[in-house]
Amino acid sequence: MENKTEFIAKDGLTYEIGLEEDLDVRVVVFRSGVEIGSISLESRDEDQTYHVMNLSLENCKRLGIGQRCLEFFNEVYQFSTLTAEESHGQKREDGSHLIGDGPGFVAAMREKKIIAATVDSRSFEDRSQSDED
Protein backbone atom coordinates (compact mmCIF):
# COMPACT_ATOMS: atom_id res chain seq x y z
CA MET A 1 0.00 0.00 0.00
CA GLU A 2 1.59 3.20 -1.19
CA ASN A 3 -0.82 5.69 0.39
CA LYS A 4 -1.08 5.26 4.14
CA THR A 5 -1.11 7.30 7.31
CA GLU A 6 -1.22 6.77 11.06
CA PHE A 7 -4.01 8.10 13.24
CA ILE A 8 -4.42 8.32 17.02
CA ALA A 9 -8.09 7.65 17.70
CA LYS A 10 -10.29 8.78 20.59
CA ASP A 11 -9.30 5.62 22.50
CA GLY A 12 -5.66 6.79 22.49
CA LEU A 13 -4.51 3.90 20.28
CA THR A 14 -2.67 4.29 16.99
CA TYR A 15 -4.29 2.94 13.83
CA GLU A 16 -2.92 2.75 10.30
CA ILE A 17 -5.16 3.81 7.43
CA GLY A 18 -4.25 2.79 3.89
CA LEU A 19 -5.71 2.95 0.42
CA GLU A 20 -6.00 -0.18 -1.72
CA GLU A 21 -6.21 1.36 -5.15
CA ASP A 22 -7.41 -0.09 -8.41
CA LEU A 23 -10.26 1.32 -10.48
CA ASP A 24 -12.19 1.47 -7.20
CA VAL A 25 -10.69 2.32 -3.81
CA ARG A 26 -10.88 0.49 -0.51
CA VAL A 27 -9.87 2.52 2.55
CA VAL A 28 -8.53 -0.01 5.07
CA VAL A 29 -7.99 0.35 8.82
CA PHE A 30 -5.30 -1.68 10.61
CA ARG A 31 -4.45 -2.07 14.30
CA SER A 32 -1.13 -3.79 15.03
CA GLY A 33 -0.96 -5.01 11.43
CA VAL A 34 -4.41 -6.65 11.53
CA GLU A 35 -7.23 -5.35 9.34
CA ILE A 36 -10.14 -4.27 11.52
CA GLY A 37 -12.31 -2.30 9.10
CA SER A 38 -12.75 -0.78 5.67
CA ILE A 39 -14.77 1.55 3.48
CA SER A 40 -15.39 0.52 -0.14
CA LEU A 41 -15.61 3.33 -2.68
CA GLU A 42 -16.69 2.81 -6.28
CA SER A 43 -15.28 5.01 -9.02
CA ARG A 44 -17.94 6.78 -11.02
CA ASP A 45 -16.79 7.98 -14.43
CA GLU A 46 -18.32 11.42 -14.17
CA ASP A 47 -16.09 14.15 -12.75
CA GLN A 48 -13.81 11.97 -10.58
CA THR A 49 -16.60 10.92 -8.25
CA TYR A 50 -16.28 8.06 -5.76
CA HIS A 51 -19.40 6.54 -4.23
CA VAL A 52 -19.56 4.93 -0.78
CA MET A 53 -20.62 1.34 -1.40
CA ASN A 54 -19.97 -0.34 1.92
CA LEU A 55 -18.95 0.72 5.42
CA SER A 56 -17.37 -2.10 7.35
CA LEU A 57 -16.28 -0.31 10.52
CA GLU A 58 -18.04 -2.35 13.21
CA ASN A 59 -14.78 -2.91 15.11
CA CYS A 60 -13.90 0.78 15.29
CA LYS A 61 -17.11 2.70 15.93
CA ARG A 62 -17.25 6.07 17.67
CA LEU A 63 -13.47 6.55 17.60
CA GLY A 64 -13.22 9.08 14.76
CA ILE A 65 -11.66 6.46 12.49
CA GLY A 66 -14.37 6.46 9.82
CA GLN A 67 -14.19 10.23 9.50
CA ARG A 68 -10.38 10.11 9.34
CA CYS A 69 -10.60 7.44 6.60
CA LEU A 70 -12.71 9.71 4.42
CA GLU A 71 -10.56 12.76 5.21
CA PHE A 72 -7.45 10.81 4.21
CA PHE A 73 -9.12 9.73 0.97
CA ASN A 74 -9.96 13.40 0.26
CA GLU A 75 -6.34 14.42 0.97
CA VAL A 76 -5.00 11.87 -1.53
CA TYR A 77 -7.77 12.34 -4.14
CA GLN A 78 -7.92 16.14 -3.85
CA PHE A 79 -10.01 16.75 -6.95
CA SER A 80 -12.55 14.00 -6.36
CA THR A 81 -16.00 14.12 -4.84
CA LEU A 82 -17.35 11.55 -2.38
CA THR A 83 -21.02 10.65 -2.62
CA ALA A 84 -23.38 8.25 -0.83
CA GLU A 85 -27.04 7.32 -1.29
CA GLU A 86 -29.65 7.50 1.41
CA SER A 87 -30.22 3.99 2.69
CA HIS A 88 -32.92 2.20 4.62
CA GLY A 89 -31.02 -1.03 5.20
CA GLN A 90 -31.72 -2.47 1.76
CA LYS A 91 -29.31 -2.91 -1.12
CA ARG A 92 -29.72 -0.07 -3.61
CA GLU A 93 -29.94 -0.43 -7.39
CA ASP A 94 -26.32 0.79 -7.61
CA GLY A 95 -25.21 -2.00 -5.25
CA SER A 96 -24.50 0.25 -2.27
CA HIS A 97 -25.65 -1.07 1.06
CA LEU A 98 -25.56 1.01 4.24
CA ILE A 99 -27.06 -0.56 7.35
CA GLY A 100 -26.91 -0.06 11.12
CA ASP A 101 -24.96 3.12 11.90
CA GLY A 102 -24.12 3.68 8.20
CA PRO A 103 -26.92 6.12 7.30
CA GLY A 104 -26.26 8.21 10.43
CA PHE A 105 -22.52 8.21 9.72
CA VAL A 106 -23.15 9.38 6.14
CA ALA A 107 -25.47 12.15 7.40
CA ALA A 108 -22.79 13.33 9.85
CA MET A 109 -20.13 13.32 7.12
CA ARG A 110 -22.44 15.33 4.85
CA GLU A 111 -22.96 17.87 7.61
CA LYS A 112 -19.16 18.20 7.92
CA LYS A 113 -18.90 18.48 4.08
CA ILE A 114 -16.69 15.40 3.86
CA ILE A 115 -19.31 13.64 1.69
CA ALA A 116 -21.25 15.68 -0.90
CA ALA A 117 -24.68 16.83 0.25
CA THR A 118 -26.28 15.11 -2.75
CA VAL A 119 -25.30 12.40 -5.19
CA ASP A 120 -24.82 15.21 -7.72
CA SER A 121 -21.28 14.80 -9.07
CA ARG A 122 -20.40 18.50 -9.12
CA SER A 123 -17.62 19.56 -6.77
CA PHE A 124 -18.42 21.53 -3.62
CA GLU A 125 -16.98 24.66 -5.26
CA ASP A 126 -19.23 24.26 -8.32
CA ARG A 127 -22.28 23.80 -6.08
CA SER A 128 -21.52 26.82 -3.92
CA GLN A 129 -20.90 29.03 -6.98
CA SER A 130 -24.18 28.02 -8.62
CA ASP A 131 -26.02 28.49 -5.30
CA GLU A 132 -24.77 32.08 -5.19
CA ASP A 133 -26.09 32.86 -8.69
Side-chain angles (χ1 to χ4, degrees):
M1 238 179 278
E2 185 175 315
N3 290 307
K4 56 187 170 183
T5 189
E6 287 190 347
F7 172 68
I8 299 174
K10 293 176 184 176
D11 61 3
L13 299 175
T14 301
Y15 296 83
E16 186 175 88
I17 299 170
L19 301 179
E20 289 181 352
E21 301 167 277
D22 195 5
L23 177 60
D24 298 331
V25 176
R26 190 166 165 259
V27 187
V28 187
V29 181
F30 297 93
R31 172 79 183 117
S32 301
V34 176
E35 182 178 325
I36 62 164
S38 66
I39 299 175
S40 298
L41 305 170
E42 180 181 79
S43 175
R44 303 285 170 101
D45 290 331
E46 67 273 356
D47 302 325
Q48 295 180 313
T49 298
Y50 286 83
H51 190 74
V52 176
M53 297 299 288
N54 187 285
L55 297 168
S56 181
L57 299 170
E58 295 81 23
N59 296 321
C60 40
K61 289 182 183 180
R62 311 259 182 250
L63 298 173
I65 294 171
Q67 177 176 330
R68 182 63 187 121
C69 286
L70 297 179
E71 289 170 341
F72 181 59
F73 171 85
N74 283 335
E75 290 167 14
V76 174
Y77 288 80
Q78 296 175 29
F79 302 106
S80 294
T81 300
L82 277 172
T83 62
E85 291 284 352
E86 297 295 331
S87 182
H88 303 289
Q90 297 176 356
K91 200 169 214 174
R92 307 279 306 184
E93 285 181 24
D94 66 6
S96 61
H97 190 214
L98 302 177
I99 59 172
D101 293 341
F105 173 76
V106 166
M109 295 303 100
R110 283 183 173 148
E111 189 173 305
K112 294 179 180 190
K113 299 189 183 210
I114 295 170
I115 292 178
T118 67
V119 189
D120 185 335
S121 64
R122 292 178 296 157
S123 70
F124 289 114
E125 292 168 8
D126 290 343
R127 280 193 293 277
S128 64
Q129 287 175 358
S130 65
D131 290 346
E132 293 171 5
D133 294 337

